[in-house]
PDB file of all heavy atoms in Angstrom:
ATOM      1  N   GLY A   1      53.965 -63.337  -2.364  1.00 95.00           N
ATOM      2  CA  GLY A   1      53.764 -62.380  -3.428  1.00 95.00           C
ATOM      3  C   GLY A   1      54.860 -62.330  -4.463  1.00 95.00           C
ATOM      4  O   GLY A   1      54.824 -61.483  -5.363  1.00 95.00           O
ATOM      5  N   LYS A   2      55.841 -63.216  -4.341  1.00 97.00           N
ATOM      6  CA  LYS A   2      56.956 -63.225  -5.292  1.00 97.00           C
ATOM      7  C   LYS A   2      57.036 -64.566  -6.001  1.00 97.00           C
ATOM      8  O   LYS A   2      56.500 -65.572  -5.545  1.00 97.00           O
ATOM      9  CB  LYS A   2      58.270 -62.939  -4.570  1.00 97.00           C
ATOM     10  CG  LYS A   2      58.349 -61.545  -3.972  1.00 97.00           C
ATOM     11  CD  LYS A   2      59.735 -61.253  -3.439  1.00 97.00           C
ATOM     12  CE  LYS A   2      59.838 -59.837  -2.913  1.00 97.00           C
ATOM     13  NZ  LYS A   2      61.207 -59.535  -2.416  1.00 97.00           N
ATOM     14  N   GLU A   3      57.743 -64.565  -7.110  1.00 97.00           N
ATOM     15  CA  GLU A   3      57.951 -65.804  -7.844  1.00 97.00           C
ATOM     16  C   GLU A   3      59.014 -66.655  -7.155  1.00 97.00           C
ATOM     17  O   GLU A   3      59.882 -66.147  -6.455  1.00 97.00           O
ATOM     18  CB  GLU A   3      58.373 -65.500  -9.284  1.00 97.00           C
ATOM     19  CG  GLU A   3      57.290 -64.838 -10.107  1.00 97.00           C
ATOM     20  CD  GLU A   3      57.654 -64.730 -11.566  1.00 97.00           C
ATOM     21  OE1 GLU A   3      58.810 -65.052 -11.916  1.00 97.00           O
ATOM     22  OE2 GLU A   3      56.793 -64.312 -12.358  1.00 97.00           O
ATOM     23  N   ARG A   4      58.942 -67.946  -7.416  1.00 97.00           N
ATOM     24  CA  ARG A   4      59.958 -68.851  -6.908  1.00 97.00           C
ATOM     25  C   ARG A   4      61.309 -68.500  -7.520  1.00 97.00           C
ATOM     26  O   ARG A   4      61.394 -68.165  -8.714  1.00 97.00           O
ATOM     27  CB  ARG A   4      59.587 -70.282  -7.271  1.00 97.00           C
ATOM     28  CG  ARG A   4      60.543 -71.347  -6.760  1.00 97.00           C
ATOM     29  CD  ARG A   4      60.061 -72.713  -7.188  1.00 97.00           C
ATOM     30  NE  ARG A   4      60.063 -72.845  -8.630  1.00 97.00           N
ATOM     31  CZ  ARG A   4      59.409 -73.785  -9.304  1.00 97.00           C
ATOM     32  NH1 ARG A   4      58.686 -74.671  -8.647  1.00 97.00           N
ATOM     33  NH2 ARG A   4      59.468 -73.853 -10.608  1.00 97.00           N
ATOM     34  N   GLU A   5      62.354 -68.548  -6.716  1.00 97.00           N
ATOM     35  CA  GLU A   5      63.682 -68.229  -7.222  1.00 97.00           C
ATOM     36  C   GLU A   5      64.697 -69.289  -6.829  1.00 97.00           C
ATOM     37  O   GLU A   5      64.591 -69.931  -5.784  1.00 97.00           O
ATOM     38  CB  GLU A   5      64.152 -66.853  -6.721  1.00 97.00           C
ATOM     39  CG  GLU A   5      64.365 -66.757  -5.239  1.00 97.00           C
ATOM     40  CD  GLU A   5      64.989 -65.431  -4.813  1.00 97.00           C
ATOM     41  OE1 GLU A   5      65.401 -64.647  -5.690  1.00 97.00           O
ATOM     42  OE2 GLU A   5      65.071 -65.185  -3.597  1.00 97.00           O
ATOM     43  N   PHE A   6      65.681 -69.437  -7.678  1.00 98.00           N
ATOM     44  CA  PHE A   6      66.762 -70.376  -7.446  1.00 98.00           C
ATOM     45  C   PHE A   6      67.653 -69.885  -6.312  1.00 98.00           C
ATOM     46  O   PHE A   6      67.912 -68.679  -6.196  1.00 98.00           O
ATOM     47  CB  PHE A   6      67.583 -70.521  -8.732  1.00 98.00           C
ATOM     48  CG  PHE A   6      68.928 -71.142  -8.543  1.00 98.00           C
ATOM     49  CD1 PHE A   6      69.048 -72.511  -8.326  1.00 98.00           C
ATOM     50  CD2 PHE A   6      70.069 -70.375  -8.540  1.00 98.00           C
ATOM     51  CE1 PHE A   6      70.287 -73.085  -8.141  1.00 98.00           C
ATOM     52  CE2 PHE A   6      71.315 -70.939  -8.368  1.00 98.00           C
ATOM     53  CZ  PHE A   6      71.425 -72.299  -8.158  1.00 98.00           C
ATOM     54  N   VAL A   7      68.123 -70.828  -5.498  1.00 98.00           N
ATOM     55  CA  VAL A   7      69.020 -70.496  -4.388  1.00 98.00           C
ATOM     56  C   VAL A   7      70.390 -71.162  -4.563  1.00 98.00           C
ATOM     57  O   VAL A   7      71.423 -70.501  -4.578  1.00 98.00           O
ATOM     58  CB  VAL A   7      68.408 -70.914  -3.043  1.00 98.00           C
ATOM     59  CG1 VAL A   7      69.408 -70.676  -1.907  1.00 98.00           C
ATOM     60  CG2 VAL A   7      67.112 -70.157  -2.775  1.00 98.00           C
ATOM     61  N   ALA A   8      70.394 -72.492  -4.696  1.00 98.00           N
ATOM     62  CA  ALA A   8      71.662 -73.213  -4.791  1.00 98.00           C
ATOM     63  C   ALA A   8      71.421 -74.581  -5.405  1.00 98.00           C
ATOM     64  O   ALA A   8      70.303 -75.101  -5.368  1.00 98.00           O
ATOM     65  CB  ALA A   8      72.295 -73.376  -3.403  1.00 98.00           C
ATOM     66  N   THR A   9      72.482 -75.161  -5.960  1.00 98.00           N
ATOM     67  CA  THR A   9      72.374 -76.494  -6.548  1.00 98.00           C
ATOM     68  C   THR A   9      73.680 -77.247  -6.355  1.00 98.00           C
ATOM     69  O   THR A   9      74.748 -76.633  -6.193  1.00 98.00           O
ATOM     70  CB  THR A   9      72.018 -76.410  -8.044  1.00 98.00           C
ATOM     71  OG1 THR A   9      71.916 -77.724  -8.591  1.00 98.00           O
ATOM     72  CG2 THR A   9      73.069 -75.635  -8.824  1.00 98.00           C
ATOM     73  N   ILE A  10      73.579 -78.581  -6.350  1.00 97.00           N
ATOM     74  CA  ILE A  10      74.760 -79.419  -6.172  1.00 97.00           C
ATOM     75  C   ILE A  10      74.642 -80.637  -7.073  1.00 97.00           C
ATOM     76  O   ILE A  10      73.574 -81.233  -7.202  1.00 97.00           O
ATOM     77  CB  ILE A  10      74.916 -79.823  -4.687  1.00 97.00           C
ATOM     78  CG1 ILE A  10      76.243 -80.548  -4.445  1.00 97.00           C
ATOM     79  CG2 ILE A  10      73.735 -80.648  -4.184  1.00 97.00           C
ATOM     80  CD1 ILE A  10      76.600 -80.666  -2.952  1.00 97.00           C
ATOM     81  N   SER A  11      75.749 -81.003  -7.712  1.00 96.00           N
ATOM     82  CA  SER A  11      75.771 -82.187  -8.566  1.00 96.00           C
ATOM     83  C   SER A  11      75.693 -83.446  -7.717  1.00 96.00           C
ATOM     84  O   SER A  11      75.878 -83.400  -6.493  1.00 96.00           O
ATOM     85  CB  SER A  11      77.062 -82.210  -9.384  1.00 96.00           C
ATOM     86  OG  SER A  11      78.192 -82.249  -8.518  1.00 96.00           O
ATOM     87  N   TRP A  12      75.428 -84.585  -8.354  1.00 93.00           N
ATOM     88  CA  TRP A  12      75.277 -85.799  -7.560  1.00 93.00           C
ATOM     89  C   TRP A  12      76.576 -86.171  -6.875  1.00 93.00           C
ATOM     90  O   TRP A  12      76.558 -86.753  -5.793  1.00 93.00           O
ATOM     91  CB  TRP A  12      74.754 -86.962  -8.406  1.00 93.00           C
ATOM     92  CG  TRP A  12      75.707 -87.569  -9.404  1.00 93.00           C
ATOM     93  CD1 TRP A  12      75.688 -87.383 -10.756  1.00 93.00           C
ATOM     94  CD2 TRP A  12      76.786 -88.484  -9.147  1.00 93.00           C
ATOM     95  NE1 TRP A  12      76.685 -88.102 -11.349  1.00 93.00           N
ATOM     96  CE2 TRP A  12      77.376 -88.807 -10.392  1.00 93.00           C
ATOM     97  CE3 TRP A  12      77.309 -89.076  -8.012  1.00 93.00           C
ATOM     98  CZ2 TRP A  12      78.457 -89.668 -10.524  1.00 93.00           C
ATOM     99  CZ3 TRP A  12      78.395 -89.947  -8.131  1.00 93.00           C
ATOM    100  CH2 TRP A  12      78.951 -90.227  -9.367  1.00 93.00           C
ATOM    101  N   SER A  13      77.693 -85.835  -7.483  1.00 93.00           N
ATOM    102  CA  SER A  13      78.985 -86.170  -6.888  1.00 93.00           C
ATOM    103  C   SER A  13      79.360 -85.217  -5.766  1.00 93.00           C
ATOM    104  O   SER A  13      80.279 -85.496  -4.989  1.00 93.00           O
ATOM    105  CB  SER A  13      80.077 -86.122  -7.957  1.00 93.00           C
ATOM    106  OG  SER A  13      80.267 -84.791  -8.392  1.00 93.00           O
ATOM    107  N   GLY A  14      78.684 -84.078  -5.713  1.00 92.00           N
ATOM    108  CA  GLY A  14      79.054 -83.051  -4.742  1.00 92.00           C
ATOM    109  C   GLY A  14      80.190 -82.171  -5.210  1.00 92.00           C
ATOM    110  O   GLY A  14      80.548 -81.207  -4.535  1.00 92.00           O
ATOM    111  N   GLY A  15      80.738 -82.488  -6.373  1.00 92.00           N
ATOM    112  CA  GLY A  15      81.899 -81.756  -6.842  1.00 92.00           C
ATOM    113  C   GLY A  15      81.602 -80.419  -7.473  1.00 92.00           C
ATOM    114  O   GLY A  15      82.507 -79.584  -7.625  1.00 92.00           O
ATOM    115  N   THR A  16      80.352 -80.190  -7.841  1.00 95.00           N
ATOM    116  CA  THR A  16      79.965 -78.916  -8.457  1.00 95.00           C
ATOM    117  C   THR A  16      78.825 -78.312  -7.670  1.00 95.00           C
ATOM    118  O   THR A  16      77.829 -78.978  -7.400  1.00 95.00           O
ATOM    119  CB  THR A  16      79.519 -79.118  -9.906  1.00 95.00           C
ATOM    120  OG1 THR A  16      80.563 -79.755 -10.645  1.00 95.00           O
ATOM    121  CG2 THR A  16      79.178 -77.787 -10.551  1.00 95.00           C
ATOM    122  N   THR A  17      78.990 -77.062  -7.315  1.00 97.00           N
ATOM    123  CA  THR A  17      77.930 -76.311  -6.655  1.00 97.00           C
ATOM    124  C   THR A  17      77.801 -74.958  -7.337  1.00 97.00           C
ATOM    125  O   THR A  17      78.745 -74.469  -7.966  1.00 97.00           O
ATOM    126  CB  THR A  17      78.217 -76.092  -5.160  1.00 97.00           C
ATOM    127  OG1 THR A  17      79.469 -75.388  -5.009  1.00 97.00           O
ATOM    128  CG2 THR A  17      78.301 -77.411  -4.412  1.00 97.00           C
ATOM    129  N   TYR A  18      76.615 -74.384  -7.190  1.00 97.00           N
ATOM    130  CA  TYR A  18      76.371 -73.077  -7.813  1.00 97.00           C
ATOM    131  C   TYR A  18      75.336 -72.355  -6.960  1.00 97.00           C
ATOM    132  O   TYR A  18      74.397 -72.978  -6.450  1.00 97.00           O
ATOM    133  CB  TYR A  18      75.878 -73.258  -9.244  1.00 97.00           C
ATOM    134  CG  TYR A  18      75.768 -71.959 -10.011  1.00 97.00           C
ATOM    135  CD1 TYR A  18      76.911 -71.337 -10.496  1.00 97.00           C
ATOM    136  CD2 TYR A  18      74.542 -71.370 -10.243  1.00 97.00           C
ATOM    137  CE1 TYR A  18      76.826 -70.137 -11.188  1.00 97.00           C
ATOM    138  CE2 TYR A  18      74.447 -70.178 -10.936  1.00 97.00           C
ATOM    139  CZ  TYR A  18      75.586 -69.574 -11.409  1.00 97.00           C
ATOM    140  OH  TYR A  18      75.503 -68.395 -12.090  1.00 97.00           O
ATOM    141  N   TYR A  19      75.532 -71.043  -6.808  1.00 98.00           N
ATOM    142  CA  TYR A  19      74.672 -70.261  -5.934  1.00 98.00           C
ATOM    143  C   TYR A  19      74.118 -69.032  -6.641  1.00 98.00           C
ATOM    144  O   TYR A  19      74.773 -68.452  -7.521  1.00 98.00           O
ATOM    145  CB  TYR A  19      75.469 -69.782  -4.709  1.00 98.00           C
ATOM    146  CG  TYR A  19      76.017 -70.898  -3.869  1.00 98.00           C
ATOM    147  CD1 TYR A  19      77.281 -71.419  -4.110  1.00 98.00           C
ATOM    148  CD2 TYR A  19      75.283 -71.434  -2.820  1.00 98.00           C
ATOM    149  CE1 TYR A  19      77.799 -72.454  -3.340  1.00 98.00           C
ATOM    150  CE2 TYR A  19      75.788 -72.459  -2.039  1.00 98.00           C
ATOM    151  CZ  TYR A  19      77.041 -72.963  -2.311  1.00 98.00           C
ATOM    152  OH  TYR A  19      77.536 -73.987  -1.540  1.00 98.00           O
ATOM    153  N   ALA A  20      72.957 -68.617  -6.207  1.00 98.00           N
ATOM    154  CA  ALA A  20      72.438 -67.322  -6.626  1.00 98.00           C
ATOM    155  C   ALA A  20      73.324 -66.231  -6.034  1.00 98.00           C
ATOM    156  O   ALA A  20      73.856 -66.380  -4.925  1.00 98.00           O
ATOM    157  CB  ALA A  20      71.001 -67.157  -6.152  1.00 98.00           C
ATOM    158  N   ASP A  21      73.463 -65.139  -6.758  1.00 97.00           N
ATOM    159  CA  ASP A  21      74.310 -64.051  -6.274  1.00 97.00           C
ATOM    160  C   ASP A  21      73.852 -63.533  -4.916  1.00 97.00           C
ATOM    161  O   ASP A  21      74.676 -63.117  -4.099  1.00 97.00           O
ATOM    162  CB  ASP A  21      74.315 -62.908  -7.288  1.00 97.00           C
ATOM    163  CG  ASP A  21      75.106 -63.244  -8.545  1.00 97.00           C
ATOM    164  OD1 ASP A  21      75.908 -64.201  -8.515  1.00 97.00           O
ATOM    165  OD2 ASP A  21      74.906 -62.544  -9.557  1.00 97.00           O
ATOM    166  N   SER A  22      72.555 -63.574  -4.686  1.00 97.00           N
ATOM    167  CA  SER A  22      72.008 -63.001  -3.452  1.00 97.00           C
ATOM    168  C   SER A  22      72.395 -63.792  -2.209  1.00 97.00           C
ATOM    169  O   SER A  22      72.291 -63.272  -1.096  1.00 97.00           O
ATOM    170  CB  SER A  22      70.486 -62.915  -3.546  1.00 97.00           C
ATOM    171  OG  SER A  22      69.930 -64.199  -3.759  1.00 97.00           O
ATOM    172  N   VAL A  23      72.837 -65.026  -2.373  1.00 98.00           N
ATOM    173  CA  VAL A  23      73.172 -65.858  -1.207  1.00 98.00           C
ATOM    174  C   VAL A  23      74.632 -66.285  -1.196  1.00 98.00           C
ATOM    175  O   VAL A  23      75.102 -66.873  -0.216  1.00 98.00           O
ATOM    176  CB  VAL A  23      72.279 -67.110  -1.131  1.00 98.00           C
ATOM    177  CG1 VAL A  23      70.811 -66.715  -1.181  1.00 98.00           C
ATOM    178  CG2 VAL A  23      72.613 -68.124  -2.217  1.00 98.00           C
ATOM    179  N   LYS A  24      75.357 -65.970  -2.247  1.00 98.00           N
ATOM    180  CA  LYS A  24      76.759 -66.385  -2.355  1.00 98.00           C
ATOM    181  C   LYS A  24      77.563 -65.842  -1.179  1.00 98.00           C
ATOM    182  O   LYS A  24      77.454 -64.671  -0.819  1.00 98.00           O
ATOM    183  CB  LYS A  24      77.323 -65.886  -3.678  1.00 98.00           C
ATOM    184  CG  LYS A  24      78.531 -66.643  -4.172  1.00 98.00           C
ATOM    185  CD  LYS A  24      78.892 -66.202  -5.580  1.00 98.00           C
ATOM    186  CE  LYS A  24      77.826 -66.550  -6.584  1.00 98.00           C
ATOM    187  NZ  LYS A  24      78.203 -66.184  -7.966  1.00 98.00           N
ATOM    188  N   GLY A  25      78.334 -66.708  -0.561  1.00 97.00           N
ATOM    189  CA  GLY A  25      79.135 -66.320   0.589  1.00 97.00           C
ATOM    190  C   GLY A  25      78.411 -66.458   1.914  1.00 97.00           C
ATOM    191  O   GLY A  25      79.044 -66.401   2.968  1.00 97.00           O
ATOM    192  N   ARG A  26      77.099 -66.641   1.876  1.00 98.00           N
ATOM    193  CA  ARG A  26      76.313 -66.806   3.114  1.00 98.00           C
ATOM    194  C   ARG A  26      75.715 -68.198   3.239  1.00 98.00           C
ATOM    195  O   ARG A  26      75.548 -68.698   4.350  1.00 98.00           O
ATOM    196  CB  ARG A  26      75.195 -65.766   3.166  1.00 98.00           C
ATOM    197  CG  ARG A  26      75.667 -64.340   3.132  1.00 98.00           C
ATOM    198  CD  ARG A  26      74.528 -63.367   3.393  1.00 98.00           C
ATOM    199  NE  ARG A  26      73.491 -63.438   2.353  1.00 98.00           N
ATOM    200  CZ  ARG A  26      72.210 -63.720   2.608  1.00 98.00           C
ATOM    201  NH1 ARG A  26      71.807 -63.948   3.843  1.00 98.00           N
ATOM    202  NH2 ARG A  26      71.338 -63.744   1.611  1.00 98.00           N
ATOM    203  N   PHE A  27      75.364 -68.806   2.123  1.00 98.00           N
ATOM    204  CA  PHE A  27      74.736 -70.125   2.115  1.00 98.00           C
ATOM    205  C   PHE A  27      75.725 -71.153   1.572  1.00 98.00           C
ATOM    206  O   PHE A  27      76.533 -70.850   0.687  1.00 98.00           O
ATOM    207  CB  PHE A  27      73.495 -70.131   1.222  1.00 98.00           C
ATOM    208  CG  PHE A  27      72.329 -69.333   1.731  1.00 98.00           C
ATOM    209  CD1 PHE A  27      72.436 -68.454   2.803  1.00 98.00           C
ATOM    210  CD2 PHE A  27      71.087 -69.468   1.129  1.00 98.00           C
ATOM    211  CE1 PHE A  27      71.357 -67.732   3.256  1.00 98.00           C
ATOM    212  CE2 PHE A  27      69.991 -68.744   1.568  1.00 98.00           C
ATOM    213  CZ  PHE A  27      70.124 -67.865   2.632  1.00 98.00           C
ATOM    214  N   THR A  28      75.637 -72.371   2.095  1.00 98.00           N
ATOM    215  CA  THR A  28      76.478 -73.462   1.614  1.00 98.00           C
ATOM    216  C   THR A  28      75.636 -74.712   1.425  1.00 98.00           C
ATOM    217  O   THR A  28      74.952 -75.146   2.358  1.00 98.00           O
ATOM    218  CB  THR A  28      77.610 -73.767   2.601  1.00 98.00           C
ATOM    219  OG1 THR A  28      78.392 -72.587   2.821  1.00 98.00           O
ATOM    220  CG2 THR A  28      78.514 -74.868   2.056  1.00 98.00           C
ATOM    221  N   ILE A  29      75.700 -75.287   0.236  1.00 98.00           N
ATOM    222  CA  ILE A  29      74.985 -76.524  -0.043  1.00 98.00           C
ATOM    223  C   ILE A  29      75.970 -77.685   0.032  1.00 98.00           C
ATOM    224  O   ILE A  29      77.126 -77.567  -0.398  1.00 98.00           O
ATOM    225  CB  ILE A  29      74.289 -76.462  -1.426  1.00 98.00           C
ATOM    226  CG1 ILE A  29      73.347 -77.649  -1.628  1.00 98.00           C
ATOM    227  CG2 ILE A  29      75.302 -76.350  -2.561  1.00 98.00           C
ATOM    228  CD1 ILE A  29      72.450 -77.518  -2.861  1.00 98.00           C
ATOM    229  N   SER A  30      75.523 -78.797   0.590  1.00 98.00           N
ATOM    230  CA  SER A  30      76.368 -79.984   0.697  1.00 98.00           C
ATOM    231  C   SER A  30      75.468 -81.203   0.693  1.00 98.00           C
ATOM    232  O   SER A  30      74.247 -81.082   0.787  1.00 98.00           O
ATOM    233  CB  SER A  30      77.212 -79.943   1.972  1.00 98.00           C
ATOM    234  OG  SER A  30      76.376 -79.936   3.122  1.00 98.00           O
TER     235      SER A  30
END
C-alpha cells in the first residue's frame, strides 16, 4: 500500500555510500 522508497546506494568503487534517514545507522551497504 505504499510507494517504493530509496534505502541505500553505493558507487561502483565502493567509496561513496548514501542512506535514507530512516535506516541510517542501522543498515550498511557494501
Side-chain angles (χ1 to χ4, degrees):
K2 295 188 177 181
E3 293 188 353
R4 182 180 63 197
E5 65 173 352
F6 164 75
V7 175
T9 180
I10 187 166
S11 60
W12 72 256
S13 68
T16 303
T17 58
Y18 187 76
Y19 299 91
D21 288 343
S22 59
V23 307
K24 202 172 295 183
R26 301 188 297 122
F27 291 11
T28 303
I29 190 170
S30 62

